[in-house]
Amino acid sequence: MDSDAAAPLLLEGPLLEGEFVRLEPLGRGHADGLAAAAEEDRDGYTYTWVPSADRVGDYIGTQLARRNAGLLAPYAQVDRVSGRVVGATSFWDPRRRPDDGSLFAIEIGFTWLAASAQGSGLNTEAKYLLFRHAFDVWRVGRVDLKTDARNGRSRAAIAKSGATFEGVLRNSAPSWVPGEAGRLRDSAVFSVTDEEWPSCRAGLERRLAELRSARSRSE
């Protein structure tokens, strides 16, 4: 073993807490909650890597191994009202400056929510918390998001977050579609730059204010 080999530069994703969702660094303790969330209704997971209940342990192990290799910072998404684990998301694909190792770009990915949490506004606030940390703390110049080009629902949600559609990368990633093992998918690419972040932030904050108002009226 080469004792002089540099250890991986870890991507430190801290606890991020909003009004509706709490993003907790992923750990083994989230397994039962993720298993329950993943099995609520799997009809919407055609294009997304969501583990079945019996594979959640492997799923967490894979994400933690990637974290330890400096490739991503995985999170469990927790509904603050119910306290339930309702999904997962991650910072990943960190790109760093060669001179000082500081981040200049990051991707948000590996995102999924339980059926009961979809359309609830939790995804909006989760994106807001992740964008805010990336731009305001890490001072990145770019955050990007990718999804299977066929996934219209995901593309619409990403666009609604304020990200700009940049195009489609052909054969860019493994397909998660059942029956397509070994095949490559086309990926729709979106991004937010640091110049666009103030406008994107304002739009997300307006949407969160609307969500807050709607929830207060329903109480």
Side-chain angles (χ1 to χ4, degrees):
M1 181 175 178
D2 183 359
S3 60
D4 295 328
L9 190 58
L10 297 185
L11 186 64
E12 299 291 350
L15 174 72
L16 299 174
E17 191 156 11
E19 185 173 350
F20 311 116
V21 68
R22 183 169 62 251
L23 302 182
E24 299 179 355
L26 183 68
R28 294 288 182 183
H30 295 112
D32 289 346
L34 286 176
E39 293 299 333
E40 283 188 7
D41 181 351
R42 298 187 62 84
D43 288 347
Y45 297 149
T46 302
Y47 302 105
T48 307
W49 180 40
V50 180
S52 56
D54 62 328
R55 299 303 301 273
V56 163
D58 293 338
Y59 171 87
I60 293 175
T62 296
Q63 295 299 70
L64 294 183
R66 289 170 169 163
R67 180 201 64 189
N68 294 341
L71 300 176
L72 88 168
Y75 286 100
Q77 300 200 57
V78 178
D79 183 332
R80 288 200 62 197
V81 174
S82 67
R84 293 187 305 121
V85 176
V86 292
T89 192
S90 291
F91 285 120
W92 85 292
D93 190 20
R95 279 143 283 168
R96 300 180 182 274
R97 294 178 175 85
D99 53 350
D100 61 4
S102 62
L103 286 168
F104 67 84
I106 195 75
E107 181 170 341
I108 294 171
F110 296 106
T111 300
W112 61 272
L113 284 172
S116 62
Q118 295 174 20
S120 66
L122 267 65
N123 181 61
T124 299
E125 188 172 52
K127 289 294 188 294
Y128 173 75
L129 295 172
L130 293 165
F131 283 144
R132 187 176 68 182
H133 187 78
F135 287 114
D136 295 354
V137 178
W138 286 337
R139 299 293 180 183
V140 300
R142 170 190 173 91
V143 173
D144 43 74
L145 308 96
K146 300 185 184 77
T147 189
D148 191 305
R150 298 167 292 182
N151 191 344
R153 182 173 183 174
S154 179
R155 290 178 65 162
I158 293 172
K160 200 171 182 181
S161 74
T164 298
F165 174 60
E166 294 187 332
V168 173
L169 297 178
R170 297 177 297 169
N171 288 355
S172 70
S175 173
W176 297 109
V177 176
E180 294 187 358
R183 293 179 56 183
L184 297 175
R185 76 177 197 192
D186 294 347
S187 297
V189 181
F190 296 77
S191 72
V192 179
T193 66
D194 54 351
E195 293 90 351
E196 296 166 338
W197 168 231
S199 176
C200 175
R201 178 175 189 152
L204 288 169
E205 289 176 348
R206 283 194 298 270
R207 290 179 61 197
L208 290 172
E210 292 167 359
L211 174 62
R212 190 177 303 112
S213 178
R215 288 196 176 194
S216 65
R217 290 196 300 271
S218 66
E219 293 175 354

